[in-house]
């Protein structure tokens, strides 16, 4: 038997776990697993807020692909097109010409990107919070704003530097806002020129509640927590414009801000537009509960999908409901999908994915949190502790678990790092200046 080639598009929560399981279960005579991702690492997104806040080293919230996927072929590059009818994918490696890869099975898992709206100024002034690069940038930028505010005698400039706006009150937005505020408050002890009251942290949320993943009372508790810390929480409010950093809200308020973070939802990867897979009205790939791609009633043989880019029926709810875009579903779907691919290759039937969403845990800064798991509600320290233990248990590999726990322990005894490494964003500047010919200086 010729080994089947399984192409895994994207090595995030779905791709990494699926590739790991496939390569463990299928011997080299049965299958070759090829993994393509533009990054050489998987990003454990639930740790991005803590990485931005300096509780975890950013490097430890990512998982190196080549180290974890030793039995797979890893290719750093982007899949740009898939012609499933011909079972081929085009890959743009980080260097060199586009390559065509033939496959027998494809796992489509490029995840999602920020879902934005055509708001004037957003493209120029906003930043998302989905990648490790964004988390590192935001950390350096926010700490850098403290230095700007401390250095300037201009009160308007200072107010603008210390105004931080987050748009979107899901767990990514709330955790990012709460963790960054907590870190900045910590950092202020080294800035005698600044007071905590000088900072303005604003949450703009279009609906009347935050954290839709938990019950209303837990969302209300979260709002009370943030208000108690002096944050400005605007529910039922939309960002209308941010041209030149002047934030205009739908409630009529307007103020300048140097920091505008967009965390108002996700949409499936736009790469899917260059494929021939069936999609639903939200542009997700339509799947059966077995994670096989389905076109109407017809299974698209050899095509599998899961995670943020897929519409997977949620069998624990009424028909017509789909699994939410969460790491919780992505990882479990990945394992089910890998087992189903093995089943199909070995001539057996695939099995339906079924998982009742267990709930959510969110950190609101050091020792603060909110959690609702299997109906049990927790607030404050117990919720924060649960958040840490849960995510430590979920991040792939023992290596990462040990490093993350070491980071937390060090931060407990030595306090977290609150230094900005803004030079990272333009590392050649000093050398370019120094090496300029005398005539050009
Ligand atoms: C800040 C933040 C906090 C979160 N916290 C939680 C939480 O507490 N609990 C929870 O359950 N969920 C959480 N989530 C959501 C969770 O991280 C996602 O639902 C999950 O990552 C989805 O997995 P995925 O594999 O579909 O996508 P991803 O994990 O995003 O992986 C997609 C991969 O595809 C790659 N890719 C993209 N385009 C291409 C291409 N053209 N070719 C090849 N590869 C490509 C990307 O580089 C990436 O590695 C959080 C998300 C964020 C942003």
């Amino acid at each position: 038997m010729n080994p089947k080639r399984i192409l895994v598009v994207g090595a995030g929560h779905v791709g990494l776990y699926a590739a790991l399981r496939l390569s463990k279960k299928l011997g080299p005579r049965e299958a070759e697993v090829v993994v393509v991702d533009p990054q050489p690492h998987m990003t454990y997104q639930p740790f991005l807020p803590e990485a931005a806040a300096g509780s975890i080293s950013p490097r430890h919230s990512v998982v190196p692909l080549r180290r974890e996927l030793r039995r797979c072929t890893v290719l750093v590059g982007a899949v740009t097109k898939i012609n499933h009818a011909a079972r081929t994918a085009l890959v743009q490696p980080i260097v060199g010409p586009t390559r065509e890869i033939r496959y027998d099975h494809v796992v489509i898992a490029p995840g999602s990107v920020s879902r934005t709206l055509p708001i004037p100024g957003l493209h120029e002034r906003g930043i998302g919070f989905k990648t490790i690069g964004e988390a590192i940038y935001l950390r350096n930028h926010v700490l850098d704003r403290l230095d700007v505010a401390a250095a300037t005698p201009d009160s308007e400039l200072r107010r603008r530097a210390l105004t931080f706006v987050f748009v979107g009150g899901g767990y990514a937005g709330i955790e990012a806002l709460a963790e960054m505020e907590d870190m900045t408050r910590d950092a202020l002890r080294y800035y005698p020129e600044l007071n905590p009251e000088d900072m303005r942290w604003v949450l703009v949320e279009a609906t009347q509640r935050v954290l839709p993943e938990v019950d209303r009372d837990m969302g209300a508790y979260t709002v009370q927590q943030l208000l108690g810390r002096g944050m400005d929480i605007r529910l039922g409010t939309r960002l209308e414009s941010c041209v030149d950093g002047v934030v205009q809200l739908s409630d009529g308020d307007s103020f300048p801000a140097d920091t505008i973070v967009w965390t108002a939802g996700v949409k499936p990867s736009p790469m899917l537009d260059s494929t021939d897979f069936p999609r639903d009205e939200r542009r997700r790939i339509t799947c059966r509960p077995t994670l096989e791609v389905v076109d109407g009633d017809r299974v698209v043989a050899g095509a599998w999908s899961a995670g943020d880019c897929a519409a997977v029926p949620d069998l624990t709810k009424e028909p017509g409901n789909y699994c939410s875009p969460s790491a919780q579903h992505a990882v479990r779907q990945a394992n089910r999908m890998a087992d189903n691919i093995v089943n199909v290759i070995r001539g057996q039937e695939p099995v339906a994915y079924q998982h009742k969403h267990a709930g959510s845990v969110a950190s609101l800064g050091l020792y603060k949190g909110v959690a609702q798991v299997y109906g049990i509600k927790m607030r404050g320290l117990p919720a924060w502790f649960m958040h840490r233990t849960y995510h430590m248990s979920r991040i792939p590999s023992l290596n990462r678990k040990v490093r993350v726990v070491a980071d937390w322990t060090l931060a407990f005894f030595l306090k977290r790092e609150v230094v900005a490494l803004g030079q990272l964003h333009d590392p050649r500047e000093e050398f370019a200046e120094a090496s300029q010919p005398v005539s050009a200086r």
Side-chain angles (χ1 to χ4, degrees):
M1 181 174 92
N2 275 342
K4 303 279 182 209
R5 180 177 287 154
I6 306 172
L7 175 66
V8 179
V9 180
H13 285 73
V14 170
L16 177 86
Y17 276 95
L20 254 180
R21 201 158 170 119
L22 284 165
S23 61
K24 276 186 189 153
K25 291 203 159 184
L26 294 169
R29 288 208 204 132
E30 279 181 295
E32 177 200 8
V33 182
V34 180
V35 181
V36 183
D37 197 295
Q39 305 300 329
H41 57 75
M42 176 259 196
T43 303
Y44 189 75
Q45 290 173 349
F47 272 153
L48 289 183
E50 287 211 48
S55 297
I56 299 175
S57 160
R59 211 172 285 126
H60 300 160
S61 50
V62 303
V63 180
L65 297 183
R66 285 181 187 272
R67 187 170 182 157
E68 286 313 305
L69 299 175
R70 295 199 190 177
R71 294 187 219 176
C72 303
T73 306
V74 175
L75 182 57
V76 176
V79 171
T80 53
K81 193 171 179 179
I82 302 176
N83 179 355
H84 188 66
R87 306 264 169 137
T88 56
L90 287 186
V91 177
Q92 178 58 63
I94 43 168
V95 66
T98 307
R99 250 191 241 177
E100 187 180 86
I101 298 187
R102 299 192 147 273
Y103 60 79
D104 300 287
H105 290 265
V106 64
V107 170
I108 315 138
S112 56
V113 295
S114 295
R115 175 165 44 88
T116 56
L117 297 170
I119 293 172
L122 184 62
H123 175 72
E124 296 78 17
R125 292 284 171 163
I127 180 161
F129 197 75
K130 267 191 69 61
T131 66
I132 192 69
E134 287 169 336
I136 295 173
Y137 171 82
L138 199 61
R139 170 184 171 72
N140 289 327
H141 170 78
V142 166
L143 290 170
D144 181 60
R145 294 299 90 190
L146 297 190
D147 288 318
V148 168
T152 181
D154 180 336
S155 62
E156 265 188 34
L157 192 63
R158 172 187 280 220
R159 186 90 182 124
R160 181 183 180 114
L162 294 180
T163 301
F164 308 98
V165 180
F166 286 68
V167 186
Y171 46 69
I174 291 288
E175 283 193 303
L177 166 80
E179 285 281 358
M180 300 300 288
E181 189 268 353
D182 198 58
M183 170 196 76
T184 314
R185 193 172 281 272
D186 249 12
L188 281 192
R189 80 179 76 180
Y190 309 114
Y191 289 82
E193 308 88 335
L194 306 176
N195 290 314
E197 301 78 56
D198 295 336
M199 294 195 297
R200 185 174 183 192
W201 292 83
V202 187
L203 175 73
V204 181
E205 164 56 47
T207 68
Q208 289 296 343
R209 59 165 305 185
V210 301
L211 294 181
E213 302 80 11
V214 296
D215 284 352
R216 277 189 179 276
D217 58 331
M218 300 307 277
Y221 163 79
T222 306
V223 170
Q224 286 310 321
Q225 234 285 328
L226 302 180
L227 286 172
R229 285 157 61 178
M231 294 189 219
D232 183 350
I233 310 294
R234 309 281 180 109
L235 300 182
T237 310
R238 293 180 319 278
L239 175 68
E240 297 212 315
S241 163
C242 53
V243 174
D244 296 333
V246 178
V247 172
Q248 299 253 355
L249 300 180
S250 59
D251 61 9
D253 203 1
S254 173
F255 49 84
D258 275 351
T259 311
I260 299 161
V261 187
W262 183 267
T263 55
V266 295
K267 64 178 182 189
S269 164
M271 184 279 285
L272 300 179
D273 294 341
S274 307
T275 68
D276 53 355
F277 296 116
R279 321 265 293 275
D280 73 354
E281 69 292 344
R282 288 163 65 179
R283 313 304 293 148
R284 298 173 297 186
I285 295 189
T286 46
C287 290
R288 272 190 160 185
T290 51
L291 290 324
E292 292 163 293
V293 175
V294 69
D295 192 358
D297 290 338
R298 186 183 63 86
V299 167
V300 180
W304 306 79
S305 189
D308 284 8
C309 72
V312 180
D314 186 343
L315 297 185
T316 68
K317 294 187 178 155
E318 298 292 307
N321 283 291
Y322 293 89
C323 298
S324 59
S326 65
Q328 197 180 130
H329 278 304
V331 168
R332 288 173 172 85
Q333 288 171 351
N335 288 335
R336 178 73 266 150
M337 183 207 295
D339 289 352
N340 282 347
I341 295 175
V342 173
N343 282 357
V344 167
I345 287 178
R346 293 180 180 164
Q348 293 156 9
E349 284 301 308
V351 176
Y353 168 78
Q354 183 163 356
H355 166 70
K356 188 164 170 40
H357 197 259
S360 285
V361 288
S363 164
L364 302 176
L366 270 185
Y367 313 124
K368 299 175 269 290
V370 57
Q372 185 176 337
V373 181
Y374 293 117
I376 300 169
K377 298 176 181 179
M378 274 180 265
R379 301 168 167 86
L381 184 65
W384 173 81
F385 187 71
M386 176 134 196
H387 160 87
R388 283 208 160 176
T389 32
Y390 173 75
H391 285 302
M392 195 272 290
S393 74
R394 303 310 303 187
I395 190 168
S397 90
L398 181 64
N399 182 298
R400 257 38 199 175
K401 292 185 208 303
V402 172
R403 287 177 194 268
V404 164
V405 172
D407 284 345
W408 284 336
T409 313
L410 275 178
F412 181 76
F413 288 109
L414 304 178
K415 303 245 177 293
R416 63 180 148 196
E417 277 295 355
V418 286
V419 63
L421 296 180
Q423 230 178 13
L424 276 180
H425 307 293
D426 199 357
R428 290 200 67 254
E429 191 185 359
E430 186 178 318
F431 182 77
E433 171 100 25
S435 59
Q436 228 175 35
V438 178
S439 55
R441 275 184 205 160

Short mmCIF file of all heavy atoms in Angstrom, two decimals, residues 9-15 36-39 45-46 48-49 77-79 109-111 129-130 171-172 175 269 271 306-309 325-328 330 361 391, ligand 1:
data_model
loop_
_atom_site.label_atom_id
_atom_site.label_comp_id
_atom_site.label_asym_id
_atom_site.label_seq_id
_atom_site.Cartn_x
_atom_site.Cartn_y
_atom_site.Cartn_z
N VAL A 9 -3.35 22.11 6.94
CA VAL A 9 -3.23 23.54 6.60
C VAL A 9 -3.44 24.35 7.87
O VAL A 9 -4.55 24.49 8.36
CB VAL A 9 -4.29 23.93 5.54
CG1 VAL A 9 -4.17 25.40 5.19
CG2 VAL A 9 -4.15 23.06 4.30
N GLY A 10 -2.34 24.85 8.44
CA GLY A 10 -2.43 25.62 9.69
C GLY A 10 -2.08 24.74 10.87
O GLY A 10 -2.62 23.65 11.02
N ALA A 11 -1.14 25.21 11.71
CA ALA A 11 -0.72 24.43 12.88
C ALA A 11 -1.05 25.17 14.16
O ALA A 11 -0.20 25.43 14.99
CB ALA A 11 0.77 24.13 12.79
N GLY A 12 -2.34 25.52 14.29
CA GLY A 12 -2.80 26.15 15.53
C GLY A 12 -3.35 25.08 16.44
O GLY A 12 -2.84 23.95 16.49
N HIS A 13 -4.43 25.41 17.15
CA HIS A 13 -5.00 24.44 18.09
C HIS A 13 -5.45 23.17 17.36
O HIS A 13 -5.18 22.07 17.81
CB HIS A 13 -6.18 25.08 18.82
CG HIS A 13 -5.76 26.05 19.87
ND1 HIS A 13 -5.24 27.29 19.57
CD2 HIS A 13 -5.73 25.95 21.21
CE1 HIS A 13 -4.94 27.91 20.70
NE2 HIS A 13 -5.23 27.13 21.70
N VAL A 14 -6.12 23.33 16.23
CA VAL A 14 -6.59 22.15 15.48
C VAL A 14 -5.41 21.45 14.82
O VAL A 14 -5.19 20.25 14.99
CB VAL A 14 -7.63 22.56 14.41
CG1 VAL A 14 -7.93 21.38 13.48
CG2 VAL A 14 -8.91 23.06 15.07
N GLY A 15 -4.64 22.21 14.05
CA GLY A 15 -3.60 21.61 13.21
C GLY A 15 -2.54 20.88 14.01
O GLY A 15 -2.17 19.75 13.69
N VAL A 36 1.69 22.71 7.14
CA VAL A 36 2.10 24.00 6.58
C VAL A 36 1.54 25.13 7.45
O VAL A 36 0.34 25.15 7.75
CB VAL A 36 1.57 24.18 5.14
CG1 VAL A 36 2.06 25.50 4.54
CG2 VAL A 36 1.97 23.01 4.26
N ASP A 37 2.40 26.04 7.86
CA ASP A 37 1.96 27.21 8.63
C ASP A 37 2.95 28.34 8.38
O ASP A 37 4.16 28.09 8.28
CB ASP A 37 1.92 26.88 10.14
CG ASP A 37 1.09 27.91 10.92
OD1 ASP A 37 1.49 29.09 10.99
OD2 ASP A 37 0.03 27.51 11.46
N PRO A 38 2.47 29.60 8.27
CA PRO A 38 3.42 30.70 8.05
C PRO A 38 4.34 30.93 9.25
O PRO A 38 5.40 31.53 9.10
CB PRO A 38 2.52 31.93 7.86
CG PRO A 38 1.13 31.43 7.71
CD PRO A 38 1.08 30.04 8.27
N GLN A 39 3.94 30.45 10.43
CA GLN A 39 4.77 30.61 11.63
C GLN A 39 5.44 29.29 11.96
O GLN A 39 4.82 28.23 11.80
CB GLN A 39 3.91 31.04 12.83
CG GLN A 39 3.08 32.28 12.61
CD GLN A 39 3.93 33.48 12.27
OE1 GLN A 39 5.07 33.60 12.71
NE2 GLN A 39 3.40 34.36 11.44
N GLN A 45 -3.21 30.83 22.21
CA GLN A 45 -3.83 32.16 22.33
C GLN A 45 -4.38 32.49 23.73
O GLN A 45 -4.30 33.65 24.14
CB GLN A 45 -4.93 32.33 21.28
CG GLN A 45 -4.35 32.43 19.89
CD GLN A 45 -5.41 32.43 18.80
OE1 GLN A 45 -6.57 32.15 19.04
NE2 GLN A 45 -4.99 32.72 17.60
N PRO A 46 -4.94 31.53 24.46
CA PRO A 46 -5.42 31.90 25.80
C PRO A 46 -4.34 32.49 26.71
O PRO A 46 -4.66 33.16 27.69
CB PRO A 46 -5.96 30.57 26.35
CG PRO A 46 -6.41 29.83 25.14
CD PRO A 46 -5.38 30.17 24.09
N LEU A 48 -2.10 34.71 25.60
CA LEU A 48 -1.63 36.00 25.06
C LEU A 48 -1.80 37.14 26.08
O LEU A 48 -0.90 37.97 26.23
CB LEU A 48 -2.35 36.35 23.75
CG LEU A 48 -1.97 35.50 22.53
CD1 LEU A 48 -2.71 36.01 21.29
CD2 LEU A 48 -0.48 35.52 22.29
N PRO A 49 -2.98 37.23 26.78
CA PRO A 49 -3.09 38.33 27.75
C PRO A 49 -2.01 38.28 28.82
O PRO A 49 -1.45 39.31 29.19
CB PRO A 49 -4.49 38.13 28.34
CG PRO A 49 -5.26 37.41 27.27
CD PRO A 49 -4.25 36.49 26.65
N GLY A 77 5.35 28.33 5.61
CA GLY A 77 4.83 29.04 4.43
C GLY A 77 3.32 29.12 4.55
O GLY A 77 2.73 28.59 5.49
N ALA A 78 2.71 29.78 3.58
CA ALA A 78 1.24 29.92 3.62
C ALA A 78 0.61 29.14 2.48
O ALA A 78 1.10 29.18 1.34
CB ALA A 78 0.86 31.39 3.50
N VAL A 79 -0.46 28.42 2.77
CA VAL A 79 -1.25 27.81 1.70
C VAL A 79 -2.04 28.95 1.07
O VAL A 79 -2.73 29.71 1.76
CB VAL A 79 -2.19 26.73 2.26
CG1 VAL A 79 -3.16 26.25 1.21
CG2 VAL A 79 -1.37 25.56 2.80
N ALA A 109 -7.37 23.97 8.55
CA ALA A 109 -7.42 24.58 9.90
C ALA A 109 -6.64 25.89 9.96
O ALA A 109 -5.81 26.08 10.85
CB ALA A 109 -6.88 23.58 10.92
N PRO A 110 -6.94 26.85 9.06
CA PRO A 110 -6.21 28.12 9.14
C PRO A 110 -6.82 29.10 10.14
O PRO A 110 -6.36 30.24 10.25
CB PRO A 110 -6.33 28.67 7.71
CG PRO A 110 -7.65 28.14 7.23
CD PRO A 110 -7.84 26.80 7.90
N GLY A 111 -7.84 28.65 10.89
CA GLY A 111 -8.40 29.48 11.97
C GLY A 111 -9.13 30.72 11.46
O GLY A 111 -9.79 30.69 10.42
N PHE A 129 -5.67 41.60 18.62
CA PHE A 129 -5.04 40.90 19.74
C PHE A 129 -5.22 39.40 19.53
O PHE A 129 -5.92 38.73 20.25
CB PHE A 129 -5.68 41.35 21.07
CG PHE A 129 -4.85 40.99 22.26
CD1 PHE A 129 -3.70 41.69 22.56
CD2 PHE A 129 -5.20 39.93 23.08
CE1 PHE A 129 -2.91 41.36 23.65
CE2 PHE A 129 -4.42 39.57 24.18
CZ PHE A 129 -3.28 40.30 24.46
N LYS A 130 -4.58 38.88 18.46
CA LYS A 130 -4.74 37.47 18.12
C LYS A 130 -3.40 36.75 17.96
O LYS A 130 -3.35 35.53 17.94
CB LYS A 130 -5.52 37.35 16.80
CG LYS A 130 -7.01 37.20 17.00
CD LYS A 130 -7.71 36.83 15.73
CE LYS A 130 -7.45 35.44 15.20
NZ LYS A 130 -7.82 34.32 16.05
N TYR A 171 -14.06 37.20 25.72
CA TYR A 171 -12.98 36.91 26.67
C TYR A 171 -11.63 37.47 26.24
O TYR A 171 -10.84 37.89 27.08
CB TYR A 171 -12.88 35.45 27.09
CG TYR A 171 -12.96 34.41 25.99
CD1 TYR A 171 -11.96 34.25 25.07
CD2 TYR A 171 -14.07 33.55 25.91
CE1 TYR A 171 -12.04 33.28 24.08
CE2 TYR A 171 -14.16 32.58 24.93
CZ TYR A 171 -13.14 32.46 24.02
OH TYR A 171 -13.23 31.51 23.05
N ALA A 172 -11.39 37.53 24.91
CA ALA A 172 -10.09 38.07 24.48
C ALA A 172 -9.97 39.54 24.90
O ALA A 172 -8.96 39.95 25.46
CB ALA A 172 -9.95 37.92 22.97
N GLU A 175 -9.99 39.97 28.92
CA GLU A 175 -8.73 39.53 29.53
C GLU A 175 -7.58 40.46 29.17
O GLU A 175 -6.76 40.80 30.02
CB GLU A 175 -8.40 38.10 29.09
CG GLU A 175 -9.22 37.05 29.81
CD GLU A 175 -8.66 35.66 29.59
OE1 GLU A 175 -8.53 35.24 28.43
OE2 GLU A 175 -8.33 35.01 30.58
N SER A 269 -10.63 32.48 8.18
CA SER A 269 -9.48 32.94 7.39
C SER A 269 -9.90 33.27 5.95
O SER A 269 -10.58 32.49 5.28
CB SER A 269 -8.45 31.81 7.35
OG SER A 269 -7.52 32.05 6.33
N MET A 271 -8.20 33.08 3.43
CA MET A 271 -7.60 32.15 2.48
C MET A 271 -8.64 31.18 1.91
O MET A 271 -8.51 30.71 0.78
CB MET A 271 -6.48 31.37 3.20
CG MET A 271 -5.69 30.42 2.33
SD MET A 271 -6.49 28.84 2.06
CE MET A 271 -6.23 28.03 3.61
N ALA A 306 -12.11 21.82 11.11
CA ALA A 306 -12.51 22.02 12.51
C ALA A 306 -12.00 23.37 12.97
O ALA A 306 -11.28 24.06 12.25
CB ALA A 306 -11.92 20.90 13.37
N GLY A 307 -12.40 23.75 14.17
CA GLY A 307 -11.89 25.00 14.76
C GLY A 307 -12.63 26.23 14.28
O GLY A 307 -13.78 26.16 13.82
N ASP A 308 -11.96 27.38 14.36
CA ASP A 308 -12.60 28.67 14.10
C ASP A 308 -13.11 28.82 12.67
O ASP A 308 -14.00 29.63 12.42
CB ASP A 308 -11.61 29.82 14.36
CG ASP A 308 -11.42 30.08 15.85
OD1 ASP A 308 -11.92 29.28 16.65
OD2 ASP A 308 -10.75 31.08 16.19
N CYS A 309 -12.55 28.06 11.72
CA CYS A 309 -12.94 28.27 10.32
C CYS A 309 -14.06 27.32 9.90
O CYS A 309 -14.50 27.36 8.75
CB CYS A 309 -11.73 28.09 9.40
SG CYS A 309 -11.20 26.38 9.24
N PRO A 325 -16.45 29.23 18.39
CA PRO A 325 -15.02 29.27 18.07
C PRO A 325 -14.21 29.38 19.36
O PRO A 325 -14.06 30.46 19.92
CB PRO A 325 -14.89 30.55 17.20
CG PRO A 325 -16.06 31.39 17.59
CD PRO A 325 -17.14 30.49 18.09
N SER A 326 -13.74 28.25 19.86
CA SER A 326 -12.99 28.26 21.13
C SER A 326 -11.93 27.18 21.09
O SER A 326 -12.07 26.17 20.38
CB SER A 326 -13.94 28.03 22.31
OG SER A 326 -14.47 26.73 22.22
N ALA A 327 -10.91 27.39 21.91
CA ALA A 327 -9.83 26.40 22.00
C ALA A 327 -10.38 25.08 22.53
O ALA A 327 -9.94 24.00 22.15
CB ALA A 327 -8.74 26.94 22.90
N GLN A 328 -11.36 25.23 23.42
CA GLN A 328 -11.96 24.05 24.04
C GLN A 328 -12.51 23.08 22.98
O GLN A 328 -12.27 21.88 23.03
CB GLN A 328 -13.11 24.53 24.92
CG GLN A 328 -13.58 23.53 25.90
CD GLN A 328 -14.73 24.11 26.72
OE1 GLN A 328 -15.75 23.47 26.85
NE2 GLN A 328 -14.57 25.28 27.29
N ALA A 330 -11.79 23.36 19.63
CA ALA A 330 -10.77 23.13 18.59
C ALA A 330 -9.91 21.91 18.91
O ALA A 330 -9.71 21.03 18.07
CB ALA A 330 -9.91 24.37 18.42
N VAL A 361 -13.16 30.18 31.65
CA VAL A 361 -12.37 30.74 32.74
C VAL A 361 -11.67 31.97 32.19
O VAL A 361 -11.17 31.94 31.07
CB VAL A 361 -11.34 29.73 33.31
CG1 VAL A 361 -12.02 28.64 34.10
CG2 VAL A 361 -10.49 29.12 32.20
N HIS A 391 -5.36 26.29 32.09
CA HIS A 391 -4.57 26.55 30.89
C HIS A 391 -3.18 25.92 30.95
O HIS A 391 -2.63 25.52 29.93
CB HIS A 391 -4.49 28.05 30.62
CG HIS A 391 -5.78 28.57 30.06
ND1 HIS A 391 -6.34 28.07 28.90
CD2 HIS A 391 -6.65 29.51 30.50
CE1 HIS A 391 -7.49 28.68 28.66
NE2 HIS A 391 -7.70 29.55 29.62
C1 LIG B 1 -6.57 36.53 23.18
C2 LIG B 1 -7.34 35.26 23.02
C3 LIG B 1 -7.72 34.52 24.14
C4 LIG B 1 -8.45 33.36 24.00
N1 LIG B 1 -8.80 32.66 25.12
C5 LIG B 1 -9.51 31.52 25.00
C6 LIG B 1 -9.88 30.79 26.15
O1 LIG B 1 -9.60 31.20 27.28
N2 LIG B 1 -10.58 29.63 25.98
C7 LIG B 1 -10.91 29.15 24.74
O2 LIG B 1 -11.53 28.08 24.63
N3 LIG B 1 -10.57 29.83 23.62
C8 LIG B 1 -9.88 30.99 23.72
N4 LIG B 1 -9.53 31.69 22.59
C9 LIG B 1 -9.97 31.19 21.26
C10 LIG B 1 -9.05 30.10 20.73
O3 LIG B 1 -7.70 30.48 20.85
C11 LIG B 1 -9.40 29.79 19.26
O4 LIG B 1 -10.75 29.43 19.21
C12 LIG B 1 -8.53 28.64 18.75
O5 LIG B 1 -7.21 29.07 18.65
C13 LIG B 1 -9.01 28.16 17.37
O6 LIG B 1 -8.15 27.16 16.90
P1 LIG B 1 -7.83 27.01 15.33
O7 LIG B 1 -6.87 25.88 15.21
O8 LIG B 1 -9.08 27.00 14.58
O9 LIG B 1 -7.11 28.38 14.95
P2 LIG B 1 -5.65 28.93 15.43
O10 LIG B 1 -5.28 28.33 16.75
O11 LIG B 1 -5.75 30.39 15.33
O12 LIG B 1 -4.69 28.35 14.33
C14 LIG B 1 -4.73 28.74 12.97
C15 LIG B 1 -3.34 28.49 12.39
O13 LIG B 1 -3.43 28.58 10.98
C16 LIG B 1 -2.31 29.30 10.49
N5 LIG B 1 -2.66 29.84 9.18
C17 LIG B 1 -3.39 30.95 8.89
N6 LIG B 1 -3.48 31.13 7.55
C18 LIG B 1 -2.79 30.10 6.99
C19 LIG B 1 -2.50 29.74 5.63
N7 LIG B 1 -2.94 30.47 4.60
N8 LIG B 1 -1.76 28.64 5.41
C20 LIG B 1 -1.30 27.89 6.45
N9 LIG B 1 -1.55 28.20 7.74
C21 LIG B 1 -2.29 29.27 8.01
C22 LIG B 1 -2.06 30.35 11.56
O14 LIG B 1 -0.72 30.84 11.50
C23 LIG B 1 -2.33 29.55 12.83
O15 LIG B 1 -1.18 28.92 13.31
C24 LIG B 1 -8.80 32.88 22.70
C25 LIG B 1 -8.42 33.61 21.57
C26 LIG B 1 -7.70 34.79 21.72
C27 LIG B 1 -7.30 35.57 20.50
#
